[in-house]
Amino acid sequence: MAGSSFGTLFRITTWGESHGKGVGVVIDGCPAGLLLDESIIQDYLDRRKPGYRKYSTARNEADSCEILSGVFDGKTTGTPISVLVRNTDQHSNDYRDLADLYRPGHADLGYAKKYGFRDFRGGGRSSGRETAGRVAAGAVAAALLAEFGISFRTYVKSIGPVVIKNFDPDEISRNDLCMPDASAAEEASAFLEQCIKEKDSAGGVIECVISGVPCGLGDPVFEKLDANLAKALMSVGAVKGVEIGDGFASAAAKGSENNDPFSADKDGSIRKETNHAGGILGGISDGSEIVLRAAFKPTPSIGKAQKTVNETGNSVRLEIKGRHDPVIVPRAVVVVESMAALTVADALLMNASSNLAGLKKIYS
Amino acid sequence: MAGSSFGTLFRITTWGESHGKGVGVVIDGCPAGLLLDESIIQDYLDRRKPGYRKYSTARNEADSCEILSGVFDGKTTGTPISVLVRNTDQHSNDYRDLADLYRPGHADLGYAKKYGFRDFRGGGRSSGRETAGRVAAGAVAAALLAEFGISFRTYVKSIGPVVIKNFDPDEISRNDLCMPDASAAEEASAFLEQCIKEKDSAGGVIECVISGVPCGLGDPVFEKLDANLAKALMSVGAVKGVEIGDGFASAAAKGSENNDPFSADKDGSIRKETNHAGGILGGISDGSEIVLRAAFKPTPSIGKAQKTVNETGNSVRLEIKGRHDPVIVPRAVVVVESMAALTVADALLMNASSNLAGLKKIYS
Amino acid sequence: MAGSSFGTLFRITTWGESHGKGVGVVIDGCPAGLLLDESIIQDYLDRRKPGYRKYSTARNEADSCEILSGVFDGKTTGTPISVLVRNTDQHSNDYRDLADLYRPGHADLGYAKKYGFRDFRGGGRSSGRETAGRVAAGAVAAALLAEFGISFRTYVKSIGPVVIKNFDPDEISRNDLCMPDASAAEEASAFLEQCIKEKDSAGGVIECVISGVPCGLGDPVFEKLDANLAKALMSVGAVKGVEIGDGFASAAAKGSENNDPFSADKDGSIRKETNHAGGILGGISDGSEIVLRAAFKPTPSIGKAQKTVNETGNSVRLEIKGRHDPVIVPRAVVVVESMAALTVADALLMNASSNLAGLKKIYS
Amino acid sequence: MAGSSFGTLFRITTWGESHGKGVGVVIDGCPAGLLLDESIIQDYLDRRKPGYRKYSTARNEADSCEILSGVFDGKTTGTPISVLVRNTDQHSNDYRDLADLYRPGHADLGYAKKYGFRDFRGGGRSSGRETAGRVAAGAVAAALLAEFGISFRTYVKSIGPVVIKNFDPDEISRNDLCMPDASAAEEASAFLEQCIKEKDSAGGVIECVISGVPCGLGDPVFEKLDANLAKALMSVGAVKGVEIGDGFASAAAKGSENNDPFSADKDGSIRKETNHAGGILGGISDGSEIVLRAAFKPTPSIGKAQKTVNETGNSVRLEIKGRHDPVIVPRAVVVVESMAALTVADALLMNASSNLAGLKKIYS
C-alpha cells in the first residue's frame, strides 16, 4: 500500500531509509510564487540533525539538502519540489547482529510479517531518519504559512517525569532540551544523565502553539482540522498520544467550565475569552491559538539487557550496541512543528474553495 | 472541500444534517460475499439511538435504516451499499432563537466564517446526529472483521471525575453508562444527576480493545495504523485527545519499563509478554490486543447561563433550551467502536497487496 | 475497491443498481452559497429519462429526485448534497433466464470472476441506470459553472454510419436524436428503424463543446484537464474512444498545420486563431472552446440470436427479451455533458490554490 | 494542486523539469519481494533516451538512473522506491529568446496564466523530459506484472499519413520507427525526411497490446480499467485521442457485429471468439488481450516560421531553434507501454480485495 504521502492539495511524498543512499521528499501542490531556496530548508533540517545537541545520537550526518526541481529564479513554480538528503555516515554493520531478532519496542516483527522480509539496517523505513523528509517539507509549508501571518512555537513540555513549571519563550533555544523553563531543563538533564548511566532511555511531551490561523480552516466530519493534526502527529514514530487544547483534562470538566465564552472587540471582531478548546471547535479553526501536544514514548533502543526472541523463536538476551539517543524528544520538536505546518498548509489550500463568494474572487 | 469520506479501499461517505430529511452513508469497497441485512446495521444504530438509555436526549428518533443498494440474495455484491435513515422528530423551531448567535463550545462561528452562512438548526452537519452514518458503516465493517476473527470491546472508562476501578466485562451492558464497574457507574450517575440539577454537562473517556488483529496491518510512515485510528477518533465531534496503549503515561516511563519483551509460544508463534504499546509498534499491528482511548469534552449545549455574542457582535446571555444530553459519552461508545472497525477494515484490505507471495495466492 | 467516487475537491459518489431500490449520488465539496433546488436536477434527469424520446427503452421510470441534505434556505451549505431517485418500474423477472449465462458485449463474465457471484438483474451496477447519479450531480456542477460563465453544448455527431453534415444549434432539441442537422437526423431514424426490424442495435458519437472556460485550468502531468476528461468519458459504459480537438486526425497532420497561432485582441487579451487543440494545450485550458468527443459502441442487448455460453460452459443460443434501447446515444448526451461538467468543476476548484497571489485574495 | 501522482495502491509521484537538476520518480506501494535493480529500469529508460534512434533530438543525455531507496538485497522492501536521473546536457540559453513569448502548440500561455510566471527553459514541467519518471516506474510495474504472466507489445501504427499494412512482431525492433511493417517504416522515413527538409514535424498513432491479464481487473463505474487507461494515455503530452478495441469504428457498427460471442474451451475455460471489445467489457478485463491506441499530435516545436505573440501582446514571427524531434512517436512507444503497465499494476493490486473468499486466502 502506498503509505508515504500526506495531504490532499499540499501533498508530500517521503522516501528513504536509515541505511540506504539517502532520504528525501517530493512536495507537490505548493502554490507558485513563494520565495524558496536551500537555506530555508536547511534551517529546519539543522534543528533535527543528529549530533546537533547534547543527548542525541553520535551518528554524524551533514544532512545537507539539495533542491532538485520546482524552483526557478528563486521562486516556487507550482510544480513538484524534490529535495534530496544523502546519507553519509551509515554503520550498517552495527546491525548485522540484529538481523534475525525482534527488538522490543521496534516494528521489526510487524515488518517481517507484513513484507515477508525486512531491511534490518537501522530499522529501515521505520527509522527516525525517515523524518528528514517531513522536516524538509515542513520548512516549505511554514514558509508558505508565514505569508499569511501564521507562525509556530514548539517546545518540550516534559522529559520523563520532569514537567515544565514556568514558560519563558526565550529559554527554548537556550538549553539543549528545548524547554521553556531553565530549571526544568536542568532537572531533566540530571534525569537523562541517570538514564545514560543505566543504559536506559526517556520519553516526553512536546507542545506546539500555532498563531494567526484564520477562523474557518478544516472541514466538517472526517477532514476536521484536529483529526488531520492528530493523524499528522500520531504518524510520527514513538508518538502514543495526542491532545488538542485541554485534551484529556477536558473529559473531567463540566460544560460550564470547558465552554469558552465569545466576546467582541471594539472593532467588531469576535474572539473567545478563554481557550480550553485549543483553537478548534467542531473541527474548524475558531481564530484562537491552536494548541496541541504529542506524547513520545522512551527511545526503544537501549543498552540495558532485554529479553526477546529471534526469527526461529529462540530466546535471546539483547544488549543493543550502536549509536542511539537516550532521548529523541528535543530533536522531535521540529518534526512536530513540521507535521503541524503541513497539516495547516493543506487546510489553508482546501478551504479556498469553500464558498462561492470566495471562489469568485480568484476568477474575477 | 469534500470532507465526508473516510478510508481508501473500504471507503465510506456520510451525508445528512440534524434537521434535514435524514442521514445516511454510502459504503464503497466492501468485499463481495459478506452476509448482510438491515438487522446487522440496526443493532449498531440502536446502540446510539437517542432516548435509548437514561441521560440521553429526549429527541425520539426510530433511527430505522433502509439498505438501498449493494446487497443481493442476502450478500454484499462488491458495489456500493447505500444506507438511509430518515429523520422524523426534528423540532427546528427550537433553534430559531439561536440563528444569529454563536453558541460557546460549538462550531457555529467557524461554519459561518467558512461558508458565509450556516444551517443553524441543531448544528446542521456538526450535530452528533451525523454519526448515525458512521455507525451504520461501522456495523458493516465489524461484520466483515468478524469473518477474520477480529472483535471489539468498547466501554466508558470515566465520566467527569469518576474513573472505573474494576473491570467486569459483563457489567458493561448492565448499566446505563456502559461502564464495566457497577460501583463507578453508580457514582457517575450521582454526578450526572448533580449536573442536570445545575443545568450543566459532563464529558468522559471511552476505551476500545480490539482482539484478533493479525500482525502486519498498517503501513509505514503516514498510513500507520495508529495514525489512522487517531484521525478516526479525533474526527468524532467532542473528542479532544487520543491515546494508544499507555499513551501519555508512556512519556514518563523509561525505555526498559515501556518496551514489551517478545517471547515464543510452544507452537513457535511469537507474542509480547506485556502490552504497553497497545498492540501497535512503528505503526504496524504487532499481534497483541489493540488498546485505544478517546477523551470527550462535556456536552457544550447547557441550560446554565452563558456569555456569548451574536453576529453583529452584541453581547448575549444564553440559556440553551431544547433537548440535549447531559452526557453523550455512553451513546458515543458505539461511535468509537465503529470508527475503530472502519479503520481496521481498511487496513486489512490495504495490507492484502503488501507482498508478492501473498498477492500470488489471490491470482493463482 | 471503492470505485464509485469521482473528483478530488468537487467529489461525487454514486450508488445503486438497475433493479435495486433506487439510485443516487452524494455530491461533496460543492461550494456554499449556490442556489439549488430539485427542479435544477430534475431538468437534467429528464434528459436521460427512459421513454422520454423515441428509440429509448419502454421502461417507465418517473426518475423523480429528492434532495436529502446539503441545501438550506434554497442554497447549498457546503456540506454533502445527497440525491435519491427511487426505482419504480423494475421487471426483474425478465432477467431470470439470463441468470446463469454471459451476455455478449456485457460485463457479466467479468463481474462473476471479480466478485464470485453477481446481481444478474439488468446488469446490476453495470446498467446504464447507474448514470442517473452522474446526471444528478452533473446538473449541480453545471449550475456552479454557470456562475463563472461556463456553458455546454452537447449533441449527437453520428448514429451508426450517419454523420452530421451541417450544424444548426437550434435543431438539437427539435429531433429525437439530438442531432444538429435535420436531414442527418432523418437519415439516422431510417437506419434505426432498420435496426429495430433486424432486432439489432446502433452506436454513435457524441460531441461536447464547453465555452467560457478560463485559461489555466488543469494541472501538469497526471491531472491534466484532458486526462481527466478522457477518464470521465471513458468511464461511461459503452464508450470505446475519446478525442480532444482534432483527436486522431491530428496524428496525420503536420506541425505547421496543427499548431494554432496566437494573436492579441485590441484589448490585449490573447487568443488562438484556430482551435485544432480543442481548447487544451499541455493539459491546461488555453481559453478557447473545449471540444471533445466520445464514441459509443452499439447497445449490446439485442433481440437477434447470438451465440454464448452459460456458467457451466455449455453453448447457448441467446435472444434477449426485455426492454432495451436500439440506440442509447441520444439519451447519453446529457451523461457526457454531466461528466464534462463534473470534471471542469473539479478543475476550477483545484486551480484556486495554484499561485500565491490568487490565494491571498481569498484570505485578505 | 498536487497533480504529479498516479495510481491508488501502486502509486507513483514524478518530479523534475527539462532544465532543472534532474528528473525522477517515487514508486510507492510496490509489493515487497520483487527482484529489482538499476538494469531493469535502465533498459526501459534507454528506449526513450534522446538520440537513441534516428529522428530524435540531438540532446545528449546519458539518462542513467540511480535507485536511492526501497531495494535491499536485490529485492523490493515494500517501501518507496526513489529513482533519480540527473540532467546533464541542458542548453538553457537556447530558450532565452523564447522567455516572453507563447509558442504555438505549447502550454506556455496556460502555465503563465495558471502560475503567474513560468520556467521558460524547454517547457519546464511540460517538457517530454518529464516522461523519464513515468518510464522508470513503468519498468518496475512491468517487472511486477511479468510475475503474473502479463506482458506488453507496443509499436507505432502510423506516422503522419503512413499506416502499417502488415504485422511482423520481429520487425518492431528492427527499424528506427518501431513499426511492425518494414515497408511502412520505409515510407514513413521518407515522409519524415520531407518534414525535416520543410522544418516541419509529424505525429502518429501508437498501439499497445497487453496479454495475460486475468479476467476481473478494473472496478465498476469510475475506476473502470479502460477509464484509467484512457486517463493514463491522455496524460502523456501530445496525446489527443484514445481508443480501446475497435474504438471509434465501433460507433459505426451494429450490435450483432460488435458483440463478441463467448465460447468454452475443452477445459471449461470461457473465452471470446472475437475481440472487438479490446479485452474490456463494462470496465472489467474479460480475459482477452487488451488493445489500446493513442493518437499523438505532431511535435509543436518546428523550425518553420510561425505567427504568435509575446507577453505584451505584440505579434512575433517565430522560428524555433534548438534541438527538437521531427517526430516523438517512436520514443513515446515506451511511455505508452509504461503508462499501461502502471495502470494494470494498480488494478491488479486493487482487485485483490474484491471478494471475501480471495481475501481469506491472504489471511489464512
Side-chain angles (χ1 to χ4, degrees):
Chain A
M1 161 65 193
S4 296
S5 296
F6 184 79
T8 299
L9 291 182
F10 192 100
R11 181 164 52 194
I12 69 164
T13 302
T14 70
W15 57 268
E17 45 265 350
S18 184
H19 289 65
K21 294 199 172 176
V23 293
V25 65
V26 181
I27 304 154
D28 198 13
C30 182
L34 178 71
L35 292 173
L36 187 69
D37 62 21
E38 266 106 353
S39 73
I40 290 172
I41 295 173
Q42 197 63 53
D43 282 354
Y44 260 62
L45 282 173
D46 286 349
R47 290 170 62 191
R48 71 163 286 291
K49 212 163 67 172
Y52 182 60
R53 294 184 183 232
K54 213 176 156 184
Y55 305 122
S56 80
T57 171
R59 179 168 170 169
N60 185 10
E61 288 284 1
D63 268 0
S64 67
C65 68
E66 183 184 13
I67 297 176
L68 296 171
S69 67
V71 177
F72 177 59
D73 275 354
K75 286 185 296 185
T76 57
T77 60
T79 61
I81 303 160
S82 179
V83 183
L84 168 66
V85 178
R86 292 266 178 193
N87 291 338
T88 54
D89 187 38
Q90 310 104 293
H91 291 195
S92 301
N93 286 335
D94 288 0
Y95 295 91
R96 286 284 150 191
D97 296 348
L98 305 174
D100 76 332
L101 41 88
Y102 303 121
R103 294 168 299 163
H106 280 281
D108 298 344
L109 178 66
Y111 271 63
K113 295 285 178 196
K114 182 175 198 70
Y115 295 122
F117 83 116
R118 67 190 164 94
D119 177 356
F120 54 77
R121 302 164 306 163
R125 186 74 173 142
S126 71
S127 163
R129 187 140 186 80
E130 164 265 320
T131 59
R134 303 179 187 233
V135 169
V140 179
L144 173 65
L145 293 173
E147 294 280 332
F148 295 85
I150 300 170
S151 62
F152 296 80
R153 199 172 60 224
T154 317
Y155 44 86
V156 172
K157 192 174 173 122
S158 71
I159 296 276
V162 184
V163 187
I164 58 167
K165 290 188 192 66
N166 301 300
F167 188 86
D168 174 2
D170 298 333
E171 179 60 28
I172 298 170
S173 56
R174 264 192 233 124
N175 63 72
D176 281 323
L177 299 175
C178 301
M179 291 179 108
D181 175 344
S183 86
E186 211 168 312
E187 205 184 328
S189 291
F191 175 75
L192 289 174
E193 294 295 342
Q194 189 62 30
C195 287
I196 292 168
K197 198 179 293 177
E198 296 167 358
K199 298 185 177 174
D200 214 330
S201 65
V205 172
I206 293 173
E207 190 163 77
C208 176
V209 178
I210 319 173
S211 304
V213 178
C215 183
L217 300 201
D219 285 277
V221 188
F222 300 114
E223 298 302 323
K224 287 187 165 88
L225 184 55
D226 42 1
N228 280 323
L229 285 166
K231 177 171 180 171
L233 266 53
M234 197 68 98
S235 78
V236 178
V239 173
K240 304 301 283 186
V242 176
E243 291 185 319
I244 311 286
D246 284 4
F248 275 84
S250 68
K254 288 187 181 175
S256 60
E257 297 159 352
N258 187 69
N259 282 351
D260 300 309
F262 288 106
S263 65
D265 286 339
K266 279 174 207 157
D267 67 353
S269 68
I270 293 165
R271 55 178 193 77
K272 286 155 50 206
E273 297 188 350
T274 54
N275 192 16
H276 299 291
I280 300 177
L281 283 169
I284 317 286
S285 62
D286 64 18
S288 303
E289 282 187 333
I290 292 176
V291 182
L292 46 118
R293 273 177 302 285
F296 284 76
K297 70 175 187 181
T299 318
S301 289
I302 56 175
K304 206 168 183 174
Q306 298 182 85
K307 186 181 162 188
T308 190
V309 294
N310 62 16
E311 283 171 21
T312 47
N314 295 326
S315 275
V316 176
R317 187 188 137 98
L318 171 67
E319 292 176 33
I320 294 177
K321 309 270 184 300
R323 305 159 298 174
H324 299 284
D325 302 18
V327 70
I328 58 149
V329 179
R331 286 180 62 201
V333 164
V334 71
V335 179
V336 165
E337 186 167 309
S338 293
M339 291 312 300
L342 289 165
T343 307
V344 175
D346 198 32
L348 189 89
L349 269 56
M350 292 198 296
N351 182 57
S353 56
S354 288
N355 68 66
L356 194 55
L359 200 57
K360 283 188 173 175
K361 286 184 196 168
I362 296 278
Y363 290 106
S364 64
Chain B
M1 159 66 192
S4 296
S5 296
F6 183 80
T8 298
L9 290 182
F10 192 100
R11 180 163 52 193
I12 70 164
T13 302
T14 71
W15 57 267
E17 45 265 350
S18 184
H19 288 66
K21 292 199 173 176
V23 292
V25 65
V26 181
I27 304 152
D28 198 13
C30 182
L34 178 70
L35 292 172
L36 187 70
D37 61 21
E38 266 106 354
S39 72
I40 290 171
I41 295 174
Q42 196 63 52
D43 282 354
Y44 260 62
L45 283 173
D46 286 349
R47 289 169 63 190
R48 71 163 287 289
K49 210 163 68 171
Y52 183 61
R53 296 186 182 229
K54 214 176 156 182
Y55 305 120
S56 81
T57 171
R59 177 168 172 170
N60 185 11
E61 287 285 1
D63 269 1
S64 66
C65 68
E66 184 184 13
I67 297 177
L68 297 170
S69 68
V71 177
F72 178 59
D73 276 354
K75 288 185 294 187
T76 57
T77 60
T79 60
I81 302 161
S82 179
V83 183
L84 168 65
V85 177
R86 292 267 178 191
N87 291 338
T88 55
D89 187 39
Q90 311 103 293
H91 291 196
S92 302
N93 286 335
D94 288 1
Y95 294 91
R96 288 283 151 190
D97 295 348
L98 305 174
D100 75 333
L101 41 87
Y102 303 122
R103 293 169 299 164
H106 280 281
D108 299 345
L109 177 66
Y111 271 62
K113 294 285 179 197
K114 183 177 198 69
Y115 295 123
F117 82 117
R118 68 189 164 95
D119 177 356
F120 53 78
R121 303 163 306 162
R125 185 73 174 144
S126 72
S127 162
R129 186 140 187 78
E130 164 265 319
T131 59
R134 303 178 186 234
V135 170
V140 179
L144 174 65
L145 294 173
E147 294 279 331
F148 295 86
I150 300 170
S151 62
F152 296 80
R153 200 172 58 225
T154 318
Y155 45 86
V156 171
K157 192 172 174 124
S158 72
I159 296 277
V162 184
V163 186
I164 58 167
K165 290 187 193 68
N166 301 300
F167 188 88
D168 175 1
D170 298 333
E171 179 60 29
I172 297 170
S173 57
R174 266 191 231 126
N175 62 71
D176 282 323
L177 298 175
C178 301
M179 292 180 106
D181 175 343
S183 84
E186 212 168 312
E187 205 184 330
S189 291
F191 176 75
L192 289 173
E193 294 295 341
Q194 189 61 31
C195 287
I196 292 169
K197 199 179 291 177
E198 296 168 359
K199 297 185 179 173
D200 214 330
S201 66
V205 173
I206 293 174
E207 190 164 77
C208 175
V209 178
I210 319 174
S211 304
V213 178
C215 184
L217 301 200
D219 284 277
V221 190
F222 300 114
E223 298 301 324
K224 287 188 166 89
L225 185 55
D226 42 1
N228 280 322
L229 285 166
K231 176 171 182 171
L233 266 53
M234 197 68 97
S235 78
V236 177
V239 172
K240 303 301 284 185
V242 176
E243 292 184 320
I244 310 285
D246 284 4
F248 275 83
S250 68
K254 288 189 180 172
S256 60
E257 297 158 351
N258 188 69
N259 283 351
D260 302 306
F262 289 105
S263 65
D265 286 338
K266 280 173 207 157
D267 67 354
S269 68
I270 294 164
R271 54 177 193 77
K272 286 154 50 204
E273 297 189 348
T274 54
N275 192 16
H276 299 290
I280 300 177
L281 283 169
I284 316 287
S285 62
D286 64 17
S288 304
E289 282 187 332
I290 293 176
V291 181
L292 46 117
R293 274 177 303 284
F296 284 75
K297 71 175 187 179
T299 318
S301 290
I302 55 174
K304 205 168 183 173
Q306 298 182 85
K307 186 181 160 187
T308 190
V309 294
N310 62 17
E311 283 172 20
T312 47
N314 293 326
S315 274
V316 175
R317 186 187 139 100
L318 171 66
E319 293 177 32
I320 294 178
K321 310 269 184 298
R323 304 160 300 174
H324 299 284
D325 302 18
V327 69
I328 58 149
V329 179
R331 285 180 63 200
V333 164
V334 71
V335 179
V336 165
E337 186 167 309
S338 292
M339 291 312 300
L342 289 164
T343 308
V344 175
D346 197 32
L348 188 89
L349 269 56
M350 292 197 298
N351 182 58
S353 55
S354 288
N355 67 67
L356 195 55
L359 200 57
K360 284 188 171 174
K361 287 184 195 168
I362 295 279
Y363 290 104
S364 63
Chain C
M1 160 68 193
S4 296
S5 296
F6 184 81
T8 299
L9 290 182
F10 192 100
R11 181 164 51 193
I12 69 164
T13 302
T14 70
W15 57 267
E17 44 265 348
S18 184
H19 290 67
K21 293 198 173 178
V23 293
V25 65
V26 181
I27 304 153
D28 198 13
C30 181
L34 178 70
L35 293 174
L36 188 69
D37 61 22
E38 267 105 354
S39 73
I40 289 171
I41 295 173
Q42 197 63 52
D43 282 354
Y44 260 61
L45 283 173
D46 287 349
R47 288 169 63 191
R48 72 162 288 289
K49 211 163 69 171
Y52 182 60
R53 297 187 181 226
K54 213 175 157 184
Y55 305 121
S56 80
T57 171
R59 179 168 170 169
N60 184 11
E61 287 284 0
D63 268 2
S64 66
C65 69
E66 186 183 12
I67 297 177
L68 297 170
S69 68
V71 176
F72 178 59
D73 275 355
K75 286 185 294 186
T76 57
T77 61
T79 61
I81 303 161
S82 179
V83 182
L84 168 65
V85 177
R86 291 267 178 191
N87 290 339
T88 56
D89 186 39
Q90 312 104 290
H91 292 195
S92 302
N93 285 336
D94 289 359
Y95 295 91
R96 286 283 150 192
D97 296 346
L98 304 175
D100 75 333
L101 41 89
Y102 303 121
R103 293 168 300 162
H106 280 281
D108 298 345
L109 178 67
Y111 271 63
K113 295 286 178 196
K114 182 176 197 71
Y115 295 123
F117 82 117
R118 66 189 165 96
D119 177 356
F120 53 79
R121 302 163 307 162
R125 185 74 173 144
S126 71
S127 163
R129 187 143 185 78
E130 164 265 319
T131 58
R134 303 178 186 233
V135 169
V140 179
L144 174 64
L145 294 174
E147 295 279 333
F148 295 86
I150 300 170
S151 62
F152 295 81
R153 200 171 59 223
T154 318
Y155 45 86
V156 172
K157 194 176 171 116
S158 71
I159 296 277
V162 184
V163 186
I164 58 167
K165 289 187 193 68
N166 301 299
F167 189 86
D168 174 2
D170 298 333
E171 179 59 30
I172 298 171
S173 57
R174 267 192 230 125
N175 63 71
D176 281 323
L177 299 176
C178 301
M179 291 180 109
D181 175 344
S183 84
E186 211 168 311
E187 205 184 328
S189 291
F191 176 74
L192 289 173
E193 294 295 341
Q194 188 62 29
C195 287
I196 292 169
K197 199 180 291 177
E198 296 168 358
K199 298 186 176 171
D200 214 331
S201 65
V205 173
I206 293 173
E207 191 163 76
C208 176
V209 178
I210 319 174
S211 305
V213 178
C215 183
L217 300 199
D219 285 278
V221 190
F222 299 116
E223 299 301 324
K224 288 188 165 88
L225 185 55
D226 41 2
N228 280 323
L229 285 167
K231 176 170 181 171
L233 267 52
M234 196 68 98
S235 79
V236 177
V239 173
K240 303 300 284 186
V242 177
E243 292 184 319
I244 310 285
D246 285 3
F248 275 83
S250 68
K254 289 190 179 170
S256 60
E257 298 158 352
N258 188 68
N259 282 352
D260 302 307
F262 288 105
S263 65
D265 286 338
K266 280 174 206 157
D267 68 352
S269 67
I270 292 165
R271 53 177 193 78
K272 285 154 50 206
E273 297 189 349
T274 54
N275 192 17
H276 299 290
I280 300 176
L281 283 170
I284 316 287
S285 63
D286 64 18
S288 304
E289 283 187 332
I290 292 176
V291 181
L292 46 117
R293 272 177 303 284
F296 284 75
K297 70 175 186 181
T299 318
S301 289
I302 54 174
K304 205 166 181 171
Q306 297 182 86
K307 187 180 161 188
T308 191
V309 294
N310 62 17
E311 283 172 20
T312 46
N314 294 326
S315 275
V316 175
R317 186 187 136 99
L318 171 66
E319 292 176 32
I320 294 178
K321 309 268 184 300
R323 303 161 298 174
H324 298 285
D325 302 19
V327 68
I328 57 148
V329 178
R331 286 179 63 199
V333 164
V334 71
V335 179
V336 165
E337 185 167 310
S338 292
M339 292 311 301
L342 289 164
T343 308
V344 175
D346 198 32
L348 189 89
L349 268 58
M350 292 198 297
N351 181 58
S353 56
S354 288
N355 68 67
L356 194 55
L359 201 57
K360 283 187 172 176
K361 288 184 197 168
I362 295 278
Y363 290 105
S364 64
Chain D
M1 160 67 191
S4 296
S5 296
F6 185 81
T8 299
L9 290 182
F10 192 101
R11 181 164 51 195
I12 69 164
T13 302
T14 70
W15 57 268
E17 45 265 349
S18 184
H19 289 67
K21 292 200 173 175
V23 292
V25 65
V26 181
I27 304 154
D28 197 13
C30 182
L34 178 70
L35 292 173
L36 187 69
D37 62 22
E38 266 106 354
S39 72
I40 290 171
I41 295 173
Q42 197 63 53
D43 283 353
Y44 259 62
L45 283 173
D46 287 348
R47 289 170 62 192
R48 73 162 285 291
K49 211 164 67 173
Y52 182 58
R53 295 185 183 230
K54 213 176 158 184
Y55 305 122
S56 81
T57 171
R59 178 167 171 169
N60 184 11
E61 287 284 2
D63 268 2
S64 67
C65 69
E66 185 183 13
I67 296 176
L68 297 170
S69 67
V71 177
F72 177 60
D73 276 353
K75 286 185 296 185
T76 57
T77 61
T79 60
I81 303 160
S82 179
V83 183
L84 168 65
V85 178
R86 292 265 178 193
N87 291 338
T88 55
D89 187 37
Q90 309 106 289
H91 290 194
S92 302
N93 286 336
D94 288 359
Y95 294 91
R96 286 283 151 193
D97 296 345
L98 304 175
D100 75 333
L101 41 87
Y102 303 122
R103 293 167 299 162
H106 280 282
D108 298 345
L109 178 66
Y111 271 63
K113 294 286 177 196
K114 182 176 197 71
Y115 295 122
F117 82 116
R118 67 190 164 94
D119 177 355
F120 54 79
R121 303 163 305 164
R125 185 74 173 142
S126 71
S127 163
R129 186 141 186 80
E130 164 264 320
T131 59
R134 303 179 186 233
V135 169
V140 180
L144 173 65
L145 294 174
E147 294 280 332
F148 295 85
I150 300 170
S151 62
F152 295 80
R153 200 173 58 225
T154 318
Y155 44 87
V156 172
K157 193 174 171 119
S158 71
I159 296 276
V162 184
V163 187
I164 58 167
K165 289 186 192 70
N166 300 299
F167 188 87
D168 174 1
D170 297 333
E171 179 60 31
I172 298 170
S173 57
R174 266 193 230 125
N175 63 72
D176 281 323
L177 298 175
C178 300
M179 291 179 109
D181 175 345
S183 84
E186 212 168 310
E187 206 184 329
S189 291
F191 176 75
L192 289 172
E193 294 296 341
Q194 187 62 29
C195 288
I196 291 168
K197 198 179 293 176
E198 297 168 357
K199 297 185 178 173
D200 213 331
S201 65
V205 173
I206 293 174
E207 190 164 77
C208 176
V209 178
I210 319 173
S211 305
V213 178
C215 184
L217 300 200
D219 284 278
V221 189
F222 300 115
E223 298 301 324
K224 288 187 165 89
L225 185 54
D226 41 2
N228 280 323
L229 285 167
K231 176 170 180 170
L233 266 52
M234 197 69 97
S235 79
V236 177
V239 173
K240 303 300 283 185
V242 176
E243 292 184 318
I244 310 285
D246 285 3
F248 275 83
S250 68
K254 289 189 179 173
S256 60
E257 297 158 352
N258 188 69
N259 282 351
D260 300 309
F262 289 106
S263 64
D265 286 338
K266 279 174 207 158
D267 67 352
S269 68
I270 292 165
R271 55 176 192 78
K272 285 155 50 206
E273 298 189 349
T274 54
N275 192 16
H276 298 291
I280 300 177
L281 283 170
I284 316 287
S285 62
D286 64 19
S288 303
E289 283 186 333
I290 293 176
V291 181
L292 46 116
R293 272 177 303 285
F296 284 76
K297 70 175 187 181
T299 318
S301 288
I302 55 175
K304 205 167 181 172
Q306 298 182 85
K307 187 181 160 187
T308 190
V309 294
N310 63 15
E311 282 172 21
T312 46
N314 294 326
S315 275
V316 176
R317 187 186 136 99
L318 171 67
E319 292 176 32
I320 294 177
K321 309 268 184 300
R323 305 160 297 174
H324 298 285
D325 302 19
V327 68
I328 58 149
V329 178
R331 285 179 62 200
V333 164
V334 71
V335 179
V336 165
E337 185 167 311
S338 292
M339 292 310 301
L342 289 165
T343 308
V344 175
D346 197 32
L348 189 90
L349 269 56
M350 292 198 297
N351 182 58
S353 57
S354 289
N355 68 66
L356 194 54
L359 200 57
K360 284 188 171 174
K361 287 185 197 168
I362 296 279
Y363 290 105
S364 64

